[in-house]
Amino acid sequence: MSFRRIYNLIRRIEEEMEEAREEIIRRMKEFEIRTGCISPLYNVSETMNEIIVSVDLPGSRKEDINVTVFEDRIIVKAKCFKSYRIAKLVGEKHEGEYLLDLVLPSPVDPDNASAKYKNGVLEVRILKAGKGKNIKVE
Amino acid sequence: MKNMSEKIIKIIENEKIEDKSPIILEGFPDVGLVGTISLSYIIQNLNFKEIGYIDSDYFPPIVSISKEGLKELIRIYNKDNIIAIFSEMPIPTRLLRPLARSIVEWAKEKNTKLFISLGGIPEPRRIDIDKPKIFLVANNPNIFKKIDINEAEILEEGYIVGLKALLLKETKKKSIDMISVLAQSHYNYPDPGAAVEVTSFISSLLKFKIDLKPLIESAEEVRIKMKDLMRRTETTLTSQQKSRELELPPVYL
């Protein structure tokens, strides 16, 4: 395969990935416009025992944040007290609501979860489900 | 190669820059949008004048609409021997190299005294940090003998990824002094708190006065407004292997 053909192939793959990313962003924006809810930015990381979900919720208050943890997903709802216009063509600015419904990367124990809200960022730490069994190393 | 990069990226000056040996500030979208927030605040508060833009046939076909009329997405501003390059568009990874080469060739033509890149460095424990630290990277360690680094720390090992890495390499090749001013930042959340620290460092370095109170007070609005740009920027950061900035290089040699 010539260098030019390899280059064109890589370029095509890059373009397809960009199209897929654009489609995700379009769907997210469409969700916001249709529901009036804000899709917050979030991050999921893991330690050996925990799953840590962090959610960017500027303009909210800890007493107005609702977190529900299931065995395999988490739902975060929060009021946003700063006026926000979801899109240029969608009405006036209004106080909105954040909504995140996220499937977790592995099963968790909802009874062992904690959450803190600091400087506009919510951090939820949930213990992973199941206990491991020690095995002897030979 | 020089001709190739010139063809791909065009730097257009609507007004001729008369500055002799200017300082160039760069704030392209990156980790936490720190450079973008900081530079837009400097441009707005110190009344920089828009004097040009950067364009390419390979950029997405977008124009920004404002009360003053149509605006390019990558704009060049100028005031008092300082040039600011501001972008409201993350750069597609395949265009980073030609963009860096073109900017540095242009900076060389302007006889640039110092090139300063503003940005963030990802800090996973950012939620527990009230005052982010500033880290500095230079393309030549001797720069630190010439400037006052105050409380900032020199980043002695690690990786820099993306446009800032390419600008550091290209400016070194062209013998232009360059530093990157990086504040500890959220990776994929707009971080005005980190931008306050970067702006404060720059104002002290370049000896201009700027009131940071409005930026501190409007932090939540800034984060909400910048959410969509952050989401788009995050997708380009992933394709640049940005997570390497969390790693240490294998220094055996």
Short mmCIF file of all heavy atoms in Angstrom, two decimals, chain B residues 72-111:
data_model
loop_
_atom_site.label_atom_id
_atom_site.label_comp_id
_atom_site.label_asym_id
_atom_site.label_seq_id
_atom_site.Cartn_x
_atom_site.Cartn_y
_atom_site.Cartn_z
N GLU B 72 -14.26 36.32 12.94
CA GLU B 72 -13.52 35.07 12.72
C GLU B 72 -13.38 34.35 14.06
O GLU B 72 -13.46 34.98 15.12
CB GLU B 72 -12.13 35.37 12.15
CG GLU B 72 -12.15 36.05 10.79
CD GLU B 72 -12.64 35.14 9.68
OE1 GLU B 72 -12.52 33.91 9.82
OE2 GLU B 72 -13.12 35.68 8.66
N LEU B 73 -13.14 33.04 14.01
CA LEU B 73 -13.05 32.30 15.27
C LEU B 73 -11.68 32.39 15.93
O LEU B 73 -11.57 32.25 17.14
CB LEU B 73 -13.45 30.83 15.05
CG LEU B 73 -14.94 30.56 15.31
CD1 LEU B 73 -15.82 31.31 14.37
CD2 LEU B 73 -15.25 29.10 15.31
N ILE B 74 -10.64 32.60 15.10
CA ILE B 74 -9.30 32.81 15.71
C ILE B 74 -8.90 34.24 15.38
O ILE B 74 -8.69 34.59 14.22
CB ILE B 74 -8.26 31.82 15.14
CG1 ILE B 74 -8.75 30.38 15.28
CG2 ILE B 74 -6.93 32.00 15.86
CD1 ILE B 74 -7.82 29.34 14.70
N ARG B 75 -8.83 35.07 16.41
CA ARG B 75 -8.61 36.50 16.17
C ARG B 75 -7.31 36.97 16.81
O ARG B 75 -6.85 36.40 17.81
CB ARG B 75 -9.78 37.30 16.77
CG ARG B 75 -11.12 36.91 16.17
CD ARG B 75 -12.24 37.82 16.63
NE ARG B 75 -12.66 37.58 18.00
CZ ARG B 75 -13.49 36.62 18.38
NH1 ARG B 75 -13.99 35.79 17.49
NH2 ARG B 75 -13.84 36.47 19.66
N ILE B 76 -6.74 38.02 16.19
CA ILE B 76 -5.49 38.58 16.70
C ILE B 76 -5.79 39.99 17.22
O ILE B 76 -6.45 40.78 16.54
CB ILE B 76 -4.41 38.63 15.60
CG1 ILE B 76 -4.18 37.22 15.04
CG2 ILE B 76 -3.10 39.21 16.12
CD1 ILE B 76 -3.31 37.16 13.80
N TYR B 77 -5.33 40.27 18.43
CA TYR B 77 -5.55 41.57 19.07
C TYR B 77 -4.20 42.19 19.41
O TYR B 77 -3.17 41.49 19.48
CB TYR B 77 -6.36 41.40 20.35
CG TYR B 77 -7.78 40.92 20.15
CD1 TYR B 77 -8.05 39.57 20.00
CD2 TYR B 77 -8.84 41.81 20.13
CE1 TYR B 77 -9.35 39.11 19.82
CE2 TYR B 77 -10.14 41.36 19.96
CZ TYR B 77 -10.39 40.02 19.81
OH TYR B 77 -11.67 39.56 19.65
N ASN B 78 -4.21 43.48 19.64
CA ASN B 78 -2.96 44.19 19.90
C ASN B 78 -3.18 45.38 20.82
O ASN B 78 -4.20 46.06 20.74
CB ASN B 78 -2.41 44.65 18.53
CG ASN B 78 -1.11 45.42 18.64
OD1 ASN B 78 -0.92 46.41 17.95
ND2 ASN B 78 -0.23 44.98 19.49
N LYS B 79 -2.21 45.58 21.71
CA LYS B 79 -2.18 46.81 22.52
C LYS B 79 -0.81 46.92 23.20
O LYS B 79 -0.31 45.93 23.74
CB LYS B 79 -3.27 46.79 23.60
CG LYS B 79 -3.39 48.15 24.29
CD LYS B 79 -4.37 48.13 25.44
CE LYS B 79 -4.36 49.51 26.09
NZ LYS B 79 -5.19 49.57 27.26
N ASP B 80 -0.24 48.12 23.14
CA ASP B 80 1.01 48.42 23.87
C ASP B 80 2.08 47.34 23.72
O ASP B 80 2.59 46.82 24.71
CB ASP B 80 0.71 48.61 25.37
CG ASP B 80 -0.22 49.78 25.62
OD1 ASP B 80 -0.34 50.63 24.72
OD2 ASP B 80 -0.84 49.82 26.71
N ASN B 81 2.41 47.02 22.49
CA ASN B 81 3.47 46.06 22.22
C ASN B 81 3.16 44.62 22.67
O ASN B 81 4.06 43.80 22.81
CB ASN B 81 4.79 46.53 22.88
CG ASN B 81 5.98 46.24 21.99
OD1 ASN B 81 5.87 46.26 20.77
ND2 ASN B 81 7.10 45.94 22.60
N ILE B 82 1.89 44.35 22.96
CA ILE B 82 1.49 42.97 23.28
C ILE B 82 0.49 42.52 22.20
O ILE B 82 -0.47 43.23 21.89
CB ILE B 82 0.82 42.86 24.66
CG1 ILE B 82 1.78 43.32 25.76
CG2 ILE B 82 0.36 41.43 24.93
CD1 ILE B 82 1.15 43.38 27.15
N ILE B 83 0.75 41.36 21.62
CA ILE B 83 -0.16 40.76 20.64
C ILE B 83 -0.83 39.57 21.32
O ILE B 83 -0.16 38.76 21.99
CB ILE B 83 0.61 40.30 19.39
CG1 ILE B 83 1.22 41.51 18.66
CG2 ILE B 83 -0.30 39.52 18.43
CD1 ILE B 83 2.18 41.13 17.54
N ALA B 84 -2.16 39.46 21.17
CA ALA B 84 -2.88 38.34 21.78
C ALA B 84 -3.56 37.52 20.68
O ALA B 84 -4.25 38.09 19.83
CB ALA B 84 -3.91 38.86 22.76
N ILE B 85 -3.31 36.21 20.68
CA ILE B 85 -3.99 35.32 19.71
C ILE B 85 -5.02 34.51 20.49
O ILE B 85 -4.68 33.70 21.35
CB ILE B 85 -2.99 34.38 19.01
CG1 ILE B 85 -1.85 35.19 18.38
CG2 ILE B 85 -3.70 33.56 17.93
CD1 ILE B 85 -0.74 34.32 17.78
N PHE B 86 -6.29 34.77 20.17
CA PHE B 86 -7.40 34.18 20.92
C PHE B 86 -8.23 33.29 19.98
O PHE B 86 -8.48 33.65 18.82
CB PHE B 86 -8.27 35.31 21.47
CG PHE B 86 -9.60 34.84 22.01
CD1 PHE B 86 -9.68 34.31 23.28
CD2 PHE B 86 -10.75 34.92 21.24
CE1 PHE B 86 -10.91 33.87 23.78
CE2 PHE B 86 -11.97 34.48 21.72
CZ PHE B 86 -12.04 33.96 23.00
N SER B 87 -8.64 32.15 20.47
CA SER B 87 -9.46 31.27 19.63
C SER B 87 -10.70 30.81 20.38
O SER B 87 -10.62 30.44 21.55
CB SER B 87 -8.65 30.05 19.21
OG SER B 87 -9.47 29.12 18.54
N GLU B 88 -11.84 30.82 19.73
CA GLU B 88 -13.05 30.25 20.33
C GLU B 88 -13.38 28.92 19.66
O GLU B 88 -14.52 28.48 19.66
CB GLU B 88 -14.22 31.23 20.29
CG GLU B 88 -14.55 31.82 18.96
CD GLU B 88 -15.70 32.82 19.07
OE1 GLU B 88 -16.84 32.38 19.24
OE2 GLU B 88 -15.44 34.02 18.97
N MET B 89 -12.34 28.30 19.06
CA MET B 89 -12.54 27.02 18.37
C MET B 89 -11.37 26.10 18.72
O MET B 89 -10.21 26.50 18.59
CB MET B 89 -12.55 27.28 16.87
CG MET B 89 -12.58 26.05 16.02
SD MET B 89 -12.44 26.48 14.26
CE MET B 89 -10.69 26.66 14.07
N PRO B 90 -11.64 24.87 19.20
CA PRO B 90 -10.52 23.94 19.38
C PRO B 90 -9.96 23.55 18.02
O PRO B 90 -10.72 23.43 17.05
CB PRO B 90 -11.16 22.74 20.09
CG PRO B 90 -12.62 22.84 19.85
CD PRO B 90 -12.94 24.27 19.53
N ILE B 91 -8.67 23.36 17.95
CA ILE B 91 -8.03 23.08 16.65
C ILE B 91 -8.01 21.58 16.38
O ILE B 91 -7.54 20.80 17.23
CB ILE B 91 -6.58 23.62 16.63
CG1 ILE B 91 -6.57 25.10 17.04
CG2 ILE B 91 -5.92 23.42 15.27
CD1 ILE B 91 -7.41 26.01 16.18
N PRO B 92 -8.50 21.15 15.21
CA PRO B 92 -8.43 19.71 14.89
C PRO B 92 -6.98 19.23 14.95
O PRO B 92 -6.07 19.95 14.50
CB PRO B 92 -8.98 19.64 13.45
CG PRO B 92 -9.77 20.89 13.27
CD PRO B 92 -9.13 21.92 14.13
N THR B 93 -6.77 18.05 15.50
CA THR B 93 -5.41 17.56 15.75
C THR B 93 -4.52 17.60 14.51
O THR B 93 -3.36 17.98 14.58
CB THR B 93 -5.50 16.12 16.32
OG1 THR B 93 -6.33 16.18 17.49
CG2 THR B 93 -4.14 15.60 16.72
N ARG B 94 -5.07 17.25 13.33
CA ARG B 94 -4.22 17.19 12.14
C ARG B 94 -3.73 18.57 11.69
O ARG B 94 -2.82 18.68 10.87
CB ARG B 94 -4.95 16.47 11.00
CG ARG B 94 -6.15 17.20 10.48
CD ARG B 94 -6.76 16.50 9.26
NE ARG B 94 -7.98 17.16 8.87
CZ ARG B 94 -9.15 16.94 9.42
NH1 ARG B 94 -9.27 16.07 10.39
NH2 ARG B 94 -10.22 17.60 9.01
N LEU B 95 -4.34 19.64 12.21
CA LEU B 95 -3.92 20.99 11.82
C LEU B 95 -2.99 21.64 12.84
O LEU B 95 -2.54 22.77 12.65
CB LEU B 95 -5.15 21.89 11.62
CG LEU B 95 -6.04 21.52 10.44
CD1 LEU B 95 -7.26 22.42 10.38
CD2 LEU B 95 -5.27 21.60 9.12
N LEU B 96 -2.69 20.94 13.92
CA LEU B 96 -1.87 21.54 14.98
C LEU B 96 -0.47 21.89 14.49
O LEU B 96 0.05 22.97 14.76
CB LEU B 96 -1.78 20.61 16.19
CG LEU B 96 -3.07 20.42 17.01
CD1 LEU B 96 -2.83 19.44 18.14
CD2 LEU B 96 -3.55 21.74 17.57
N ARG B 97 0.15 20.95 13.75
CA ARG B 97 1.52 21.21 13.30
C ARG B 97 1.61 22.38 12.32
O ARG B 97 2.40 23.31 12.54
CB ARG B 97 2.14 19.94 12.69
CG ARG B 97 2.54 18.95 13.74
CD ARG B 97 3.07 17.65 13.15
NE ARG B 97 3.15 16.65 14.19
CZ ARG B 97 4.15 16.55 15.06
NH1 ARG B 97 5.17 17.39 14.99
NH2 ARG B 97 4.14 15.62 16.00
N PRO B 98 0.80 22.38 11.23
CA PRO B 98 0.88 23.56 10.34
C PRO B 98 0.52 24.86 11.04
O PRO B 98 1.11 25.90 10.74
CB PRO B 98 -0.11 23.24 9.21
CG PRO B 98 -0.86 22.04 9.61
CD PRO B 98 -0.09 21.34 10.68
N LEU B 99 -0.41 24.80 11.99
CA LEU B 99 -0.78 26.03 12.71
C LEU B 99 0.40 26.54 13.55
O LEU B 99 0.74 27.73 13.51
CB LEU B 99 -2.00 25.78 13.61
CG LEU B 99 -2.45 26.98 14.44
CD1 LEU B 99 -2.95 28.11 13.56
CD2 LEU B 99 -3.53 26.59 15.44
N ALA B 100 1.02 25.62 14.30
CA ALA B 100 2.16 26.02 15.15
C ALA B 100 3.28 26.60 14.29
O ALA B 100 3.85 27.64 14.61
CB ALA B 100 2.66 24.82 15.95
N ARG B 101 3.59 25.93 13.15
CA ARG B 101 4.67 26.42 12.28
C ARG B 101 4.35 27.81 11.75
O ARG B 101 5.19 28.70 11.77
CB ARG B 101 4.85 25.46 11.09
CG ARG B 101 5.75 24.32 11.39
CD ARG B 101 6.06 23.54 10.13
NE ARG B 101 6.14 22.15 10.48
CZ ARG B 101 5.33 21.20 10.04
NH1 ARG B 101 4.36 21.49 9.21
NH2 ARG B 101 5.48 19.96 10.44
N SER B 102 3.10 28.00 11.30
CA SER B 102 2.73 29.29 10.72
C SER B 102 2.78 30.40 11.76
O SER B 102 3.28 31.50 11.47
CB SER B 102 1.30 29.23 10.15
OG SER B 102 1.27 28.29 9.13
N ILE B 103 2.27 30.13 12.96
CA ILE B 103 2.28 31.16 14.01
C ILE B 103 3.72 31.54 14.35
O ILE B 103 4.06 32.71 14.48
CB ILE B 103 1.52 30.67 15.27
CG1 ILE B 103 0.01 30.59 14.99
CG2 ILE B 103 1.78 31.60 16.46
CD1 ILE B 103 -0.81 29.99 16.13
N VAL B 104 4.58 30.52 14.47
CA VAL B 104 5.97 30.80 14.87
C VAL B 104 6.73 31.52 13.75
O VAL B 104 7.52 32.44 14.00
CB VAL B 104 6.67 29.51 15.33
CG1 VAL B 104 8.15 29.75 15.59
CG2 VAL B 104 6.00 28.98 16.61
N GLU B 105 6.48 31.13 12.49
CA GLU B 105 7.12 31.86 11.37
C GLU B 105 6.70 33.33 11.40
O GLU B 105 7.51 34.23 11.19
CB GLU B 105 6.70 31.22 10.03
CG GLU B 105 7.50 29.97 9.69
CD GLU B 105 6.84 29.13 8.60
OE1 GLU B 105 5.95 29.65 7.89
OE2 GLU B 105 7.20 27.95 8.47
N TRP B 106 5.42 33.55 11.64
CA TRP B 106 4.88 34.91 11.72
C TRP B 106 5.48 35.66 12.91
O TRP B 106 5.89 36.83 12.80
CB TRP B 106 3.36 34.82 11.84
CG TRP B 106 2.61 36.09 11.87
CD1 TRP B 106 2.37 36.91 10.80
CD2 TRP B 106 1.99 36.71 13.01
NE1 TRP B 106 1.62 38.00 11.22
CE2 TRP B 106 1.38 37.90 12.57
CE3 TRP B 106 1.89 36.36 14.36
CZ2 TRP B 106 0.68 38.75 13.41
CZ3 TRP B 106 1.19 37.21 15.22
CH2 TRP B 106 0.59 38.38 14.74
N ALA B 107 5.62 34.96 14.04
CA ALA B 107 6.21 35.58 15.24
C ALA B 107 7.67 35.96 14.98
O ALA B 107 8.14 37.00 15.46
CB ALA B 107 6.12 34.61 16.42
N LYS B 108 8.36 35.14 14.20
CA LYS B 108 9.77 35.44 13.87
C LYS B 108 9.85 36.70 13.01
O LYS B 108 10.71 37.55 13.22
CB LYS B 108 10.38 34.23 13.14
CG LYS B 108 11.87 34.32 12.90
CD LYS B 108 12.66 34.20 14.18
CE LYS B 108 14.15 34.40 13.98
NZ LYS B 108 14.88 34.41 15.25
N GLU B 109 8.93 36.79 12.02
CA GLU B 109 8.90 38.00 11.17
C GLU B 109 8.69 39.26 12.01
O GLU B 109 9.17 40.32 11.67
CB GLU B 109 7.75 37.90 10.16
CG GLU B 109 8.01 36.99 8.99
CD GLU B 109 6.72 36.73 8.20
OE1 GLU B 109 5.79 37.54 8.30
OE2 GLU B 109 6.67 35.69 7.52
N LYS B 110 7.93 39.11 13.09
CA LYS B 110 7.63 40.27 13.95
C LYS B 110 8.77 40.54 14.94
O LYS B 110 8.66 41.44 15.77
CB LYS B 110 6.33 40.02 14.77
CG LYS B 110 5.11 39.77 13.93
CD LYS B 110 4.59 41.07 13.35
CE LYS B 110 3.57 40.79 12.26
NZ LYS B 110 3.68 41.64 11.10
N ASN B 111 9.80 39.70 14.89
CA ASN B 111 10.94 39.86 15.81
C ASN B 111 10.48 39.77 17.28
O ASN B 111 10.84 40.61 18.12
CB ASN B 111 11.64 41.20 15.54
CG ASN B 111 13.01 41.24 16.16
OD1 ASN B 111 13.64 40.20 16.37
ND2 ASN B 111 13.47 42.43 16.52
#
